[in-house]
Amino acid sequence: MELKKKMIRLNQHFSTKEEAITAAGQLLVEDHCVQPEYVQSMIDRNNELSTYMGNFIAIPHGTDAGKQYIHKTGISVMQIPEGVEFGSAKDSKLVTIVFGIAGLNNEHLDVLSQIALFCSKLGNVAQLSDAQSEQEIINLLKEVGE
């Protein structure tokens, strides 16, 4: 999995999950992975079925209909030290790392699986959340996809 420094944002603050998803999607737009319409499909996808994966991680990606807006596979990472709520008042699902995914020809399914496996270990998530540089995050995720 190739992850670029410009696709990582550290120390982000968001009031809502929609803001976090939009920011992750905007990085995909800026890297020409997707058209701007894909960002709304990421929000729609999360509304249909939560992209919260557990262990303080969310992996928003577009709906099937949103696939038409994908130019190339891409991934963005938003580090949110204070967290953003992906759940509800009754069922909190705090997220500190958001992975925005665009997968051409279903390539995202493999990336999703690999990230979920890596983040199944809370120690890995803590390292991502505490990373002080984009390069540190890239180094941590190098084993994903190998």
Side-chain angles (χ1 to χ4, degrees):
M1 179 181 72
E2 180 186 350
L3 185 58
K4 305 170 189 171
K5 282 185 181 182
K6 68 178 182 178
M7 298 298 284
I8 300 170
R9 293 290 186 269
L10 302 176
N11 298 313
Q12 300 296 296
H13 303 276
F14 301 106
S15 300
T16 66
K17 59 188 172 189
E18 288 81 8
E19 288 179 6
I21 293 170
T22 298
Q26 186 58 39
L27 287 179
L28 295 170
V29 172
E30 291 171 8
D31 197 43
H32 308 289
C33 299
V34 299
Q35 295 177 22
E37 293 87 347
Y38 185 76
V39 178
Q40 183 59 50
S41 96
M42 293 170 74
I43 293 169
D44 293 345
R45 171 66 172 76
N46 189 72
N47 290 336
E48 291 170 8
L49 184 63
S50 177
T51 56
Y52 176 76
M53 305 298 286
N55 286 356
F56 308 99
I57 299 292
I59 308 178
H61 52 284
T63 61
D64 283 344
K67 289 179 182 178
Q68 66 181 311
Y69 303 117
I70 298 173
H71 298 300
K72 62 181 181 181
T73 298
I75 181 169
S76 62
V77 180
M78 309 300 290
Q79 181 195 58
I80 311 163
E82 295 174 10
V84 62
E85 185 60 59
F86 268 62
S88 64
K90 291 181 180 179
D91 185 22
S92 179
K93 295 175 180 173
L94 196 65
V95 169
T96 58
I97 301 289
V98 171
F99 292 94
I101 302 278
L104 193 61
N105 301 323
N106 287 326
E107 291 175 346
H108 72 292
L109 296 176
D110 191 41
V111 173
L112 276 171
S113 173
Q114 293 167 2
I115 290 172
L117 183 61
F118 179 80
C119 292
S120 67
K121 297 176 184 174
L122 272 175
N124 290 342
V125 177
Q127 288 181 325
L128 289 172
S129 298
D130 293 341
Q132 299 298 306
S133 71
E134 292 86 355
Q135 188 61 50
E136 190 174 344
I137 288 180
I138 289 171
N139 291 343
L140 287 166
L141 292 172
K142 273 187 178 173
E143 71 183 72
V144 174
E146 292 182 353

